[in-house]
Amino acid sequence: MLTFIKHQSALISQGYQCQVVDYNDPASLQYALGGVDTVISTVKGTPQLRLIEAAVQSRVRRFAPAEFEGQPGLRGQIDVLDRGKTAALALLRHYRGYIQSTVFVCGILYERFSVNGMRSQHMGSNTGYGNEGDFIANPRTMTALAPFWDAGHNLSYLCLTSAHDVAQFVVRALDMPSWPTEMSMCGERMTVNGLLEVIRACRSGFNVALDCQLTS
């Protein structure tokens, strides 16, 4: 709660309007959504499901779930990092006659490889892999656990985009009269090996530990 209040105060100081809501109280959510045209969600799990329900009840026109990753259709049936995303997409499909929705597909954020990880950018604190070195490579310690190949023994590719560019893309999308089911963006597409070579070029002595059992 203290962290939330801290972030709220920072947003208010920048001129943003903030409301405190209770995700266990549908009336609280519906009140906060009164007159809102579009919801860009950053919460997952049960709170997001309740937010979708409240958005439908409040006649919100469009809803973008907290999905900013890869294409949902390419995920495996068992995703340990799902955290309720599949349930949210299913609920939005159920209400598609009442509310528009889209998934912003942006791949991997460059910020995952920044100093102190995504947390340094005030992102990813609840993902379980927002710290420095939590995802594929740790440039500081010069180590990596890298899925070079997918299940078909093909080179694994990554699409990388900066959070700033994702934000600009989403803002431009608000002006679209209607939304497709997915909107994709990509700053750069490269192999996992290519990513490690970029890191190697920046810092010498890179020690790579491979895990070829991982899939794309």
Side-chain angles (χ1 to χ4, degrees), residues 99-160:
I99 190 169
Q100 290 185 38
S101 65
T102 192
V103 172
F104 289 104
V105 178
C106 62
I108 306 302
L109 295 179
Y110 285 113
E111 285 77 8
R112 288 199 183 280
F113 307 102
S114 62
V115 176
N116 296 322
M118 293 181 67
R119 288 178 180 270
S120 65
Q121 311 293 322
H122 306 293
M123 298 183 296
S125 58
N126 297 320
T127 64
Y129 48 95
N131 294 314
E132 182 178 275
D134 281 350
F135 186 78
I136 292 184
N138 188 330
R140 185 191 299 270
T141 61
M142 304 301 288
T143 58
L145 181 63
F148 272 17
W149 300 279
D150 62 18
H153 299 288
N154 303 304
L155 287 173
S156 293
Y157 278 81
L158 295 173
C159 289
L160 299 111

